[in-house]
Amino acid sequence: MKRFALVLLLLAAPLVAQQPDDAEYTKQIRQFTTEPRFMTELVDHLPSHPTIPTPLKFHGYIAGAEGKLTYAEDVYRYMRALDAASPRVQVLSLGLSEEGREMILVAIANEETIANLDRYREITRKLADPRKLTDDEAKRLIAEGKPFYYATGAMHSPETGSPEMLMELAYRLAVEETPTIRSIRDNIIVLLTPVIEVDGRNRQVDLWRWRQANPGVATPPLVYWGKYVAHDNNRDQIGMALSLSKNIAKAYFDFHPQVVHDLHESVPFLYVSTGTGPYNPALDPLMIDEWHRMAYHEVDELTRRGLPGVWTHGFYDGWAPNYMFWVAMGHNSIGRFYETYGNRWPTTETRVVRGASDRTWFRPNPALPTVRWSLRNNVNFQQSGVLLAFADMAANRERWLDRFYTLGKRSVAKPANEGPSAYVFDGSQKRQGQLHDLMTLLRRHGIEVHVADAPFTMKTNWPPSAKDEKAVDFPRGTFIVRMDQPYSRLADALLDIQFVRGDERVYDDTGWTLGYLKNVSFARIVNPEVLKVKMTEWPGTASASLLRGTLAITNNADTSLARLRFAAKDARMLVTTEEFASGKQKFPAGTVLVENVAAPGNFNVSATSLEKMPTVKTRELRAPRIALLHTWLRTQDEGWWRLALEAMGVPYDYISTQDVAAAANLRDRYDVILFPPTGSNPSDITNGFPSGPAMPWKKTDLTPHLGFPDETDDMRPGMGLAGVANLQRFVEDGGLLLTSRDTSTWAVQYGLARWVRVVESTKIKAPGTIVSATVVDKKSPVVAGYDDTLPIVFAGSPIFRVGVREERELEPRQSGRGTRSGDPDVPQGRPYVPAPDRPKPSPGEEGFQQPEDAPWGVEAIMPRPEDRPRVLVSFAPKADQLLLSGMLEGGEDIAGKPAVILVPRGKGNIILMSNNPMWRMNTEGSYALVMNAIMNWDSLR
């Protein structure tokens, strides 16, 4: 048999050698590559085929050609042309974007494999759950199966090379007959999604067309990528809120690929991901080892071929589970990424390389100090690297499937090995909407959720502040997330508490414990006896009957109340301002009364049916007219606010700072204006971009994908002082302006919010940290339903102080007699009269104590009591009480400082928030700070 195989190989060799190259395509590859050392033998040519079109034949240009970028739909047309022409290619639809544009998946292998694709998909699906297999059954499946390698492109829209490269790669895999490519086709299945952010890709191509038509003029920035977020689309793997995240998850669960590989473009020339650490502690060491093994293999092979600037380590950390490739890492596959030297525009430029041209221990082969760089160079580096990765998987086919199965087995064994055994969520706790949202989110991640069939008691020392283990009673209906399941590591990563040392270099958020972010109670159970509790797998929230009649609803700071308020928009809702009783049941002040409501009952509100409306003092809970305000500088953070509002069914108008500048009558149109963080400094919010030729964001024949979700003839102008004045007038006429983070700083610095200052800290280090906050003004409607403390996400700034002046330190006593410095200084020759104690200010209000000098000397500068800012929420009073999850240093600089402030002005109010309450669809527990303010906009005082 060996001799026969050798004969076949020798016979086939001349056929391989005789496969002709496409002369013109190969010529252009070399034409657009700026130096021979930026190519490898894997990509310096392209074979021809009589019936299968190359990108050149189909589009009229090669991948990486000067001046050419391809719209997403044209990429898809090409992939479907390959599908039609080759039995080795199959194109599947993954779903649509928020704007209705398609995402696709391309599968490539040999003819037999593609014809039996469903069988290979079934094998990896079975291997994904080792609880249902014996080891012998798994061995047979591994021997039969083929691993999947899934590569994705154009997640970040200004990173333009990967869709072009993936078209050429798909053709090469389908057509080329070299031993390397044939081994890839025969032993693995390649999956490609050429464009993840399809909306942003098309806008980027539009801007290239605009740039070509307007040479020498500044191109409008790509302010919108997707409908909601830009670069943060790669931070949605916790919240799973974006269509692209859901579509990629669908692809994963359809095929269970052993590798998911995102193609990014930023640093020179090719960074192969491993990271700097800290690595997420929930990850299996075998997965981390695979990161390094793959990276070293590709770095070695490409360096051996003479490519400069190929390296690993020194970039990214491996800590936060919010990146898209966690769809693999959280499910026992390998998630990884490349960063190549990006080309936003398809032009060849002389570029100066800084930093990455320095030789260091992790980069012994650095990039060149200066380089003539082209889009084709980028294509060459990307394609050479992934082909080596494909070939490595093809050479180790069974190893990859065995590793996948092994990682699943080790995940199932988690309770018996490293623990914990389960996470438990009391099913009777008061924030039912957020509790059910969390369980639904876990199921979207593929994590199994169970429900206790009967009450049970379990010992726990959770939360971590508890000193002793104690027995806790849990009711029937309690949610249990077992750790003896295949995706236990992802559940552990999302539900446990994080701690990061202050000297670590982190790339993104450091804390994301979902129980805190949803503001629900939870327990981490180590005791394996919890797995013996009688339980049933939870199928998800079932549809419920209508809520009808007269209801009393407790406000628990749960998003369910806001959902009901805006779903039943015609229902009259009242808020009680005092306690009342109905029958034998008592209800607290702040209870919401709803008369003759008819709404779906799956809002998970704490509702009690009443025989009749009670006689009690009330005020109306009205649905206001809302606007959400954005700048033209950056729309990233406000996109998450739009998503959050829409998830709760809250209607709003979407307006820009330019609209505010032009509208002197904002109060006639709106009751509430929300101004989310902008990622900009206050002066830029007001001034906008520097002056220059107009930068339009409009739909035209040249740019058909611009002009959404807002449009302008010129992005340059900001709000201007006219806009500041119009917003001031809006508030003084009775409106509510709600700001967060940098917009709160803007409101302070431009004088809208008076008697508040922003103070600097050189100590604080809190990169995306969950901290404990304290409710100060318990009577405020803004904090209705919250407990005495609440978790919030804080990112290091701003830090506020409230008052007309700094608090003065007590002056030291005069030199004199006494054994201690605190002994009184007693004047001689008269009876001693002690000085009165200074009154203690409220938290954060150090500047409003009674002045010591004559009142007529300062009364002109003191605000009336009704005009003074009110601290509603402050950070925990002591530094050692602050940290809940993540990294925190210098906590003494925020301990006791204001976190949420109500600033009265005229007839209206401004709310300042030092936190971002609607962050990446993760912080649902702080949504009620916004929703309470919105629903009580006319009663905040």
Side-chain angles (χ1 to χ4, degrees), residues 616-632:
V616 61
K617 292 181 180 179
T618 62
R619 57 180 172 78
E620 191 165 357
L621 191 73
R622 294 195 289 162
R625 302 165 298 169
I626 304 168
L628 190 140
L629 176 60
H630 73 89
T631 71
W632 284 104

Side-chain angles (χ1 to χ4, degrees), residues 103-321:
M103 285 177 63
I104 68 168
L105 182 76
V106 184
I108 307 171
N110 64 26
E111 295 91 330
E112 179 274 332
T113 303
I114 292 298
N116 294 281
L117 188 61
D118 287 345
R119 172 56 184 165
Y120 293 108
R121 177 162 51 183
E122 178 70 7
I123 288 171
T124 53
R125 184 189 67 78
K126 289 181 176 180
L127 291 173
D129 191 349
R131 297 171 301 179
K132 301 176 182 179
L133 292 174
T134 66
D135 285 347
D136 287 341
E137 289 170 334
K139 287 179 181 178
R140 288 193 291 272
L141 291 172
I142 289 168
E144 178 188 354
K146 294 185 179 181
F148 291 88
Y149 196 114
Y150 186 16
T152 66
M155 180 187 304
H156 287 159
S157 302
E159 301 168 10
T160 56
S162 53
E164 312 296 332
M165 184 279 285
L166 290 171
M167 287 189 288
E168 182 178 297
L169 176 65
Y171 174 87
R172 188 182 302 280
L173 292 173
V175 168
E176 190 162 292
E177 296 296 341
T178 59
T180 297
I181 301 300
R182 290 173 67 185
S183 174
I184 293 170
R185 277 200 307 267
D186 292 345
N187 290 286
I188 74 171
I189 302 164
V190 172
L191 303 176
L192 307 175
T193 291
V195 184
I196 290 181
E197 180 55 270
V198 291
D199 302 327
R201 171 68 181 188
N202 283 1
R203 293 187 179 109
Q204 173 65 28
V205 179
D206 274 6
L207 290 177
W208 169 240
R209 287 159 53 97
W210 191 93
R211 185 178 179 87
Q212 287 178 299
N214 297 272
V217 177
T219 305
L222 189 64
V223 67
Y224 295 101
W225 298 10
K227 179 180 178 181
Y228 295 106
V229 299
H231 189 274
D232 261 9
N233 61 12
N234 196 27
R235 304 295 187 275
D236 186 45
Q237 200 54 39
I238 294 178
M240 295 286 286
L242 301 175
S243 293
L244 56 83
S245 302
K246 297 171 185 175
N247 291 339
I248 294 297
K250 175 182 182 298
Y252 182 87
F253 290 124
D254 278 352
F255 290 92
H256 296 90
Q258 282 57 65
V259 174
V260 175
H261 187 158
D262 294 337
L263 298 170
H264 289 280
E265 303 170 29
S266 64
V267 295
F269 291 140
L270 172 58
Y271 169 77
V272 183
S273 64
T274 50
T276 65
Y279 292 145
N280 190 290
L283 293 174
D284 193 308
L286 291 179
M287 203 233 80
I288 296 172
D289 291 345
E290 201 62 55
W291 268 356
H292 292 91
R293 190 198 67 79
M294 297 178 76
Y296 288 139
H297 169 71
E298 290 151 37
V299 170
D300 177 76
E301 288 293 327
L302 292 171
T303 302
R304 184 171 62 82
R305 286 167 166 80
L307 271 66
V310 182
W311 52 290
T312 188
H313 302 302
F315 183 85
Y316 164 75
D317 54 19
W319 178 251

Side-chain angles (χ1 to χ4, degrees), residues 639-717:
W640 294 116
W641 285 55
R642 287 188 279 131
L643 261 172
L645 294 175
E646 291 171 23
M648 291 182 284
V650 179
Y652 63 90
D653 286 350
Y654 189 50
I655 63 174
S656 76
T657 49
Q658 295 176 0
D659 297 324
V660 164
N665 60 340
L666 288 167
R667 187 66 188 87
D668 293 344
R669 298 163 56 190
Y670 303 115
D671 305 307
V672 176
I673 295 178
L674 306 176
F675 199 4
T678 69
S680 307
N681 65 56
S683 63
D684 287 342
I685 291 172
T686 302
N687 295 319
F689 289 101
S691 60
M695 299 190 301
W697 187 268
K698 298 195 72 172
K699 181 178 181 178
T700 66
D701 291 341
L702 183 66
T703 56
H705 305 97
L706 303 188
F708 183 84
D710 200 358
E711 68 173 8
T712 179
D713 291 327
D714 186 7
M715 300 168 69
R716 290 186 181 275

Side-chain angles (χ1 to χ4, degrees), residues 904-926:
R905 180 155 194 151
K907 299 177 182 178
N909 300 280
I910 301 167
I911 290 180
L912 310 175
M913 293 186 174
S914 61
N915 64 311
N916 183 344
M918 292 181 165
W919 177 234
R920 292 176 173 168
M921 292 297 283
N922 296 332
T923 56
E924 191 178 358
S926 57

